[in-house]
Amino acid sequence: MSYITCRRCSVLRVNTLCQLYEKAYEGEDRKAREDLTKLVQLALDRGYTQGRILLQPGLARHLIRPICWNVSSVLTDNDLEAMGYKV
């Protein structure tokens, strides 16, 4: 049962990261860009260095979700909730 909960939470984190990317670079939302940067920095601090790719505007759509999955893997629900996102 906890596996299902963890997987569900991971999907919510991934979706949130994808939405932040879209708002940050397609919607030019400054707060979304700042939040995305903070979350990517947390991932960097935890050892996932490839996450910085997510800070580049204009990524091909097919690349965004896999990168978000990888960044999400080193984040926790608390990381996003502390920034005001419900996961």
Side-chain angles (χ1 to χ4, degrees), residues 1-14 69 72-73 75-77 87:
M1 183 72 159
S2 64
Y3 173 76
I4 293 169
T5 301
C6 291
R7 181 160 170 74
R8 181 176 174 270
C9 293
S10 294
V11 170
L12 292 173
R13 284 195 306 268
V14 171
W69 268 108
S72 170
S73 70
L75 298 176
T76 66
D77 291 346
V87 290

Side-chain angles (χ1 to χ4, degrees), residues 14-47:
V14 171
N15 289 343
T16 300
L17 287 167
C18 289
Q19 291 167 2
L20 282 173
Y21 183 87
E22 187 175 303
K23 288 178 183 177
Y25 296 112
E26 294 173 19
E28 299 183 20
D29 182 324
R30 185 177 185 166
K31 179 170 179 354
R33 188 173 305 147
E34 289 171 0
D35 289 350
L36 182 63
T37 300
K38 289 176 189 175
L39 291 167
V40 168
Q41 184 60 53
L42 277 175
L44 287 168
D45 293 346
R46 294 175 184 167

